[in-house]
Amino acid sequence: MVDKVLMRSKYRGTLLGALVGDCCGAPFEGQLMDSGSKLVLKKNLDTLEGPFFKAPYKKFTDDTAMTRCVANALLDPNGFSQKLLAKNFVMEYYKDPTRGYGAAVGDVFAKLRTTKIADPVGPAQEQFDGRGSYGNGAAMRVSPIALYCAKREKDQLLQLVHDSCTVTHANILGINGAILQALAIKQCLLLDPNGILDKKMYLSSLKRDINELEKANDRDLDANCNAYETQLSAIEQLLDGKVEPSDENVLNMLGHNVSALYSVPTALFCFLKCTAGTLNIAGQSSFRNTLEYAISLGGDTDTIASMACAISGAYFGSTVISENLIRHCEDAEGMIELADKLLEL
Ligand code: F2R
Ligand code: MG
Ligand code: MG
């Protein structure tokens, strides 16, 4: 049982986790991390978590900008709609297009703006010669939907995630990645962080859901008919020691690039690897280790850290996130406000 005080903390932890991962991971995005870079990262995080100093201010990127758009669409008094979400994305993008958006998603926003959002999903369907984007841009922004659906039926979550994805990402791999991320968060919201995290049970529940999903849409997936299930099996192998969880093996098996298939399972693995399967008396170090480990893998660091820390924050709650670190991230207060409003819905 999770009481209201803990739930508030978990809602805040989810959105603050997403923000902190994005802000801290962004400077390393696209890098291959050697031992020198890992040391820089560790010192960087130690400094940010240490005694507070005014600068530097860590700017958030597209991951957080779009997460806020999703949250605001859910909170709208007229209710969520794809048209409203599209409008939020377009307004946010043109307010500040320099937040490191995906290379192709700007085309969707341009078409949405030119057509005055006549069809909120049309431009996304035209991406990549009609195949749609399989980037992780829909998964990286999905956390508010997991919060909104914490106590709602799974079918409602699936529908809402689908509708939120297809405004920019029409490819099934982009959509299923977002569903996996939302289910991973939802499950954590309902778990007691003072108990024992049963990783096997947690993973098999996700696997069951993903298997059902992939079976239902296997005609669209062609050769990738069990793509996410395969990645979840790889996580199991890395966690139970059947395969040594060296960085090399993790990157070879799970990946770290901007596609949803090769980043969402990686984020989930980061959370599970850094969180004990025994009594978690040291949630603070688990959260920090998740953040540092996710970034240390290199590649799409802001997004993988943001997704991993959103899951960790959903499990532990916001109390495990260093207050000084939070104060260094752009508009953390805004994220707390959104989390509290989503809890009240
Ligand atoms: N864009 C980035 N990082 C690049 C460097 C940013 C730099 N730090 C800066 O500040 O300038 N990060 C952000 O993009 C990722 C999310 O991307 P999203 O929203 O999914 O965009 P898009 O363009 O739809 O997809 C990303 C790329 O994936 C490839 N791709 C997708 N679908 C494809 C398909 N069907 N066929 C072939 N390729 C496909 C393309 O290369 C897309 O451009 C996050 O990392 C976020 O942080
Ligand atoms: Mg980004
Ligand atoms: Mg990224």
Side-chain angles (χ1 to χ4, degrees):
M1 270 295 284
V2 175
D3 67 22
K4 178 122 191 223
V5 175
L6 178 55
M7 205 44 131
R8 180 178 298 274
S9 171
K10 280 171 167 278
Y11 271 52
R12 290 181 175 191
T14 306
L15 293 196
L16 286 174
L19 174 73
V20 163
D22 179 21
C23 290
C24 296
F28 298 90
E29 196 182 20
Q31 284 189 31
L32 283 175
M33 302 287 283
D34 58 15
S35 52
S37 314
K38 286 181 188 174
L39 199 62
V40 170
L41 165 65
K42 185 182 168 13
K43 283 193 177 156
N44 198 321
L45 295 179
D46 285 346
T47 308
L48 294 170
E49 286 188 343
F52 189 72
F53 55 96
K54 204 155 187 274
Y57 174 83
K58 296 237 158 239
K59 217 180 149 182
F60 62 70
T61 77
D62 58 332
D63 304 52
T64 303
M66 297 184 91
T67 300
R68 289 156 52 120
C69 292
V70 173
N72 282 318
L74 290 166
L75 290 165
D76 193 86
N78 294 320
F80 177 90
S81 72
Q82 289 184 309
K83 195 160 184 144
L84 173 64
L85 183 62
K87 185 174 150 215
N88 289 354
F89 284 157
V90 170
M91 281 174 60
E92 176 62 40
Y93 178 73
Y94 286 102
K95 191 173 77 190
D96 188 353
T98 68
R99 288 200 188 266
Y101 282 84
V105 76
D107 298 345
V108 175
F109 302 138
K111 286 182 189 170
L112 287 170
R113 185 162 78 156
T114 313
T115 59
K116 297 196 167 55
I117 319 184
D119 175 5
V121 297
Q125 287 166 357
E126 289 169 12
Q127 293 290 87
F128 299 98
D129 299 323
R131 284 172 286 131
S133 172
Y134 54 58
N136 54 19
M140 73 188 184
R141 64 184 191 228
V142 83
S143 48
I145 298 181
L147 299 184
Y148 180 78
C149 293
K151 300 224 172 111
R152 290 180 165 85
E153 294 297 323
K154 192 176 78 193
D155 282 351
Q156 198 174 351
L157 176 143
L158 296 180
Q159 188 63 53
L160 261 176
V161 174
H162 179 274
D163 291 352
S164 76
C165 288
T166 48
V167 173
T168 51
H169 289 67
N171 189 290
I172 196 74
L173 290 174
I175 298 168
N176 284 353
I179 291 174
L180 175 60
Q181 172 69 7
L183 289 172
I185 293 174
K186 179 178 157 97
Q187 216 187 134
C188 277
L189 290 171
L190 304 176
L191 291 173
D192 179 3
N194 302 309
I196 291 170
L197 175 62
D198 187 335
K199 298 184 194 180
K200 273 204 164 93
M201 216 152 96
Y202 178 82
L203 264 176
S204 53
S205 159
L206 288 177
K207 234 175 147 179
R208 224 178 9 256
D209 288 340
I210 286 298
N211 177 270
E212 218 172 274
L213 199 68
E214 292 190 320
K215 258 197 338 222
N217 49 34
D218 63 359
R219 263 180 303 142
D220 298 329
L221 282 165
D222 298 328
N224 282 319
C225 60
N226 56 357
Y228 281 98
E229 200 194 351
T230 304
Q231 294 305 83
L232 292 177
S233 299
I235 294 179
E236 279 171 346
Q237 291 181 336
L238 288 161
L239 284 177
D240 67 19
K242 284 203 181 96
V243 178
E244 200 216 322
S246 62
D247 286 3
E248 196 189 348
N249 286 340
V250 171
L251 296 185
N252 281 337
M253 292 169 77
L254 302 179
H256 64 164
N257 64 36
V258 294
S259 72
L261 183 61
Y262 298 114
S263 58
V264 179
T266 316
L268 179 59
F269 174 72
C270 292
F271 160 66
L272 289 170
K273 177 183 155 70
C274 299
T275 304
T278 55
L279 257 192
N280 272 289
I281 41 174
Q284 199 158 4
S285 62
S286 298
F287 181 87
R288 158 65 195 257
N289 290 344
T290 301
L291 174 65
E292 189 172 337
Y293 177 64
I295 300 173
S296 79
L297 291 175
D300 195 358
T301 47
D302 63 335
T303 305
I304 294 174
S306 179
M307 294 190 293
C309 291
I311 303 172
S312 183
Y315 180 67
F316 287 110
S318 59
T319 49
V320 299
I321 311 175
S322 152
E323 278 178 27
N324 285 343
L325 180 58
I326 291 170
R327 286 170 76 192
H328 282 296
C329 298
E330 181 182 358
D331 200 22
E333 281 307 314
M335 285 304 244
I336 292 173
E337 207 179 299
L338 287 174
D340 290 351
K341 284 184 179 165
L342 285 166
L343 181 68
E344 295 311 321
L345 267 185

